[in-house]
Amino acid sequence: MTSRALTVGFDLDMTLIDSRPGIREAYLALSAETGTYIDAELAISRLGPPLEEELRNWFPAERIQEMGDRYREIYPTYAIAPTLAMPGAREAVAAVRSHGGRAIVVTAKHEPNAKLHLAHLGIEADAVIGWLWAEAKAEALREHDAAVYVGDHTGDVRGARTAGALSVAVATGPCDAAELRAEGADVVLSDLTEFPAWLDGYVANAA
């Protein structure tokens, strides 16, 4: 195999981690602090795009940057502890390593907070790159020569395809399997528990 085939990128929210409980708490804290209503349940049902896109639903345009900064500031206090690893997340990363590969995380999340999540859950990535969404994720995927990108959102599919990487989608986030296929995912798995067996086949076929 080429070295390219041994680098696998993963999205974070709803791919490696179930951040909904923590993000819900962070939104509720921001709502209480600002006196502005935020439907936290609705917000966590559509995770994936950058924070600012969600905040536009609740705050006027001139306050988006301020509220985004404040959310990221309070995030570690409210969102890290309640967040869980997705089923199969640790095993998926371990599967990449078992084939001599590198596992990187490419996410739209604020990079320091992404690293806090991974450290708290004991998931070790070879690199963590934040602040990238959809097609922009291709920047990091190309830089690290990733052959595969695993994500739960149609934006992740577009990022993989833009990078020329194989798009492996997991139907564990806001986009169902049909949406992911329609966007052009090369492979759609129910969740990450299916990933190690898929990777075994992928590596065998590429050898």
Side-chain angles (χ1 to χ4, degrees):
M1 291 182 65
T2 66
S3 60
R4 184 177 190 273
L6 292 174
T7 300
V8 177
F10 292 90
D11 176 50
L12 186 63
D13 292 298
M14 303 313 300
T15 298
L16 287 176
I17 68 172
D18 184 352
S19 51
R20 290 173 298 183
I23 289 176
R24 178 181 180 274
E25 292 306 309
Y27 275 129
L28 291 176
L30 186 66
S31 177
E33 183 179 297
T34 61
T36 299
Y37 174 71
I38 299 174
D39 187 336
E41 294 296 338
L42 179 59
I44 65 172
S45 74
R46 51 193 183 197
L47 297 181
L51 169 66
E52 284 73 15
E53 290 191 22
E54 182 61 44
L55 292 177
R56 288 189 186 99
N57 296 301
W58 315 108
F59 294 95
E62 65 271 14
R63 297 197 70 196
I64 298 303
Q65 182 172 344
E66 173 198 357
M67 291 299 97
D69 290 345
R70 181 57 181 153
Y71 173 94
R72 293 182 180 101
E73 186 178 6
I74 66 174
Y75 188 94
T77 300
Y78 294 96
I80 303 301
T83 292
L84 304 172
M86 293 293 283
R90 294 182 180 88
E91 293 82 358
V93 172
V96 175
R97 299 246 170 78
S98 75
H99 289 288
R102 298 175 68 249
I104 66 172
V105 173
V106 183
T107 174
K109 190 180 291 295
H110 182 48
E111 190 173 302
N113 288 339
K115 290 178 177 178
L116 286 176
H117 275 303
L118 294 168
H120 179 75
L121 294 170
I123 299 173
E124 295 184 12
D126 293 287
V128 180
I129 306 96
W131 294 96
L132 296 176
W133 161 241
E135 288 84 354
K137 292 188 173 190
E139 300 170 19
L141 295 174
R142 288 194 189 109
E143 179 185 349
H144 289 271
D145 210 18
V148 176
Y149 184 59
V150 185
D152 66 283
H153 199 283
T154 52
D156 298 323
V157 176
R158 297 198 304 274
R161 293 176 68 83
T162 301
L166 192 78
S167 171
V168 176
V170 285
T172 49
C175 304
D176 64 25
E179 290 176 271
L180 295 164
R181 288 192 189 95
E183 194 66 38
D186 297 296
V187 178
V188 179
L189 307 175
S190 295
D191 59 33
L192 283 180
T193 63
E194 299 177 2
F195 180 80
W198 173 83
L199 185 65
D200 287 345
Y202 171 76
V203 170
N205 289 333

